[in-house]
Structures are given as C-alpha cells and as structure tokens.
Amino acid sequence: MANEVVDHGRRRFLTATTAVVGGVGIVAAAVPFIKSWEPSARARAAGAPVTQSLAKIESGQMLTVSWRSLPVFVLNRSKAQLATLPMVDSRLVDPKSDGASADQQPKYAQNEARSIKPEWLVVIGICTHLGCVPDFVPEIKPEPFDPEWKGGFYCPCHKSRYDLAGRVFQGVPAPKNLPVPPYHFVDDNTIQIGVDPKEAV
C-alpha cells in the first residue's frame, strides 16, 4: 500500500470535474433566487401606463380609472362647469397652482383648468389630507357643507373640499390640490395615464 503510485493526472481531472459540476450547480441554484428579486408580472402591470377611451364619457360625467392602485378621476367638464372655475379663485389656497411641485402637477397642467384640454380634468382621486377618496359632487347649488358650492369634490371624512379643477379650498384640513398624474392624449377620444406628452412616442 505504501508503494502505490498516485495518478496526479486523474486527481487533477476529478478535482476539475468536481469544481465544474459544483459551479454549474451554484449557477443553477442562483438563477431562480435572483429571478425572485424581479417584480412579478402583476407588479409590473400595476405600474404600467393605462389607456382609457373617453368616447362614452358625456359632458359633466366622470369616470374613475385605476392606475398604480390609485383612483384617477377623469372628468369631462361642461361649459357651465368650466365657467365656475374663476368664480372660486378667491376661496382657494393655490388657485393658479403656483405652489405645486412638479410631482404634484406637471408644467403642461399649470393653468386654471389644470389640464391639457380645458374640458378634460385628470387627477388622482386621493384627498391630500389623510388619503380618503373624495366624493364627486358636480351640481352647482348650495350644499350643507358649502352654501356657495359651484361643484367639485367633497371629502366627507374631514370635510375637505376641492373645486372642479381639483384645487383645494381655504380653511379645510387638506393642504394641497389634488395631484395631476402624468398623462397625454393618444387621440381625441383616448388618453394614456402614466406617460407625459413629451415621453409619448
């Protein structure tokens, strides 16, 4: 036994083969582990842009669309509703949206209507106070919560009010206007929420 010859070539071959098989095994185990870090198809879809037809939304009506698990209000404002916007300026915290940050309101919506096209309002329907979803109260008539109501959004939880451009009234708990998400018009009857006009191809 002491005189046995050691086959160094065979030993190197077995060592190299074991190392290669072990390396392949580590890679095979690592791939699914690393893949598990990627967002699921459902998570990717949740952050994806949403395309919505506007064809069936009549003047004065609103549709709620889900984008990134947030309610987005898409309102087709009538001429009468648009005419009320300047009437409430003196009662608003930020009527011209001068204090709005870029993530709250894109530059292309920095106007009195807070929109690309005046008749179409697109805002995230989450109260800027505590995150409730405000009610759409479009009627231009006195309401128990505001005798001079010109239509808009009312959060019954803590009585915050927004006009028909999503601008917040003075003297309510909500500190800011309703945010305008990135969006653009694909054509006259279709919008895409989640993509700014300059990014649209």
Side-chain angles (χ1 to χ4, degrees), residues 8 11 24 31 38-39 44 48 53 67 78 84 90 130-131 143 145 149 160-161 166 190:
H8 291 287
R11 182 176 283 176
V24 169
V31 167
E38 293 180 5
R44 283 194 298 272
S53 171
W67 171 69
S78 66
T84 67
S90 64
L130 291 177
E143 294 287 350
F145 53 83
W149 188 246
S160 290
R161 301 184 313 279
T190 312

Side-chain angles (χ1 to χ4, degrees), residues 19-172:
V20 169
V21 169
V24 169
I26 289 171
V27 169
V31 167
F33 179 69
I34 291 169
K35 281 271 197 199
S36 71
W37 294 347
E38 293 180 5
S40 66
R42 185 175 176 183
R44 283 194 298 272
V50 175
T51 303
Q52 178 63 50
S53 171
L54 306 174
K56 294 186 178 179
I57 308 174
E58 294 182 18
S59 181
Q61 288 187 334
M62 185 183 83
L63 175 73
T64 303
V65 178
S66 180
W67 171 69
R68 293 186 175 179
S69 300
L70 298 171
V72 176
F73 297 160
V74 180
L75 171 60
N76 184 359
R77 294 177 286 201
S78 66
K79 289 182 179 176
Q81 288 172 328
L82 284 169
T84 67
L85 297 181
M87 295 178 189
V88 295
D89 280 2
S90 64
R91 301 176 60 204
L92 303 173
V93 171
D94 188 11
K96 303 298 180 203
S97 300
D98 298 327
S101 61
D103 63 332
Q104 189 192 16
Q105 178 172 299
K107 288 284 184 197
Y108 54 81
Q110 199 158 24
N111 50 56
E112 187 155 57
R114 298 185 74 224
S115 58
I116 296 171
K117 295 183 179 182
E119 65 275 22
W120 291 105
L121 175 69
V122 181
V123 291
I124 296 173
I126 297 287
C127 181
T128 57
H129 177 224
L130 291 177
C132 306
V133 177
D135 295 334
F136 177 47
V137 186
E139 296 80 16
I140 303 170
K141 65 181 182 94
E143 294 287 350
F145 53 83
D146 188 340
E148 298 175 45
W149 188 246
K150 303 293 183 199
F153 304 93
Y154 173 65
C155 187
C157 303
H158 301 98
K159 305 193 180 359
S160 290
R161 301 184 313 279
Y162 304 87
D163 76 342
L164 287 166
R167 302 175 298 175
V168 70
F169 280 83
Q170 297 170 6
V172 300

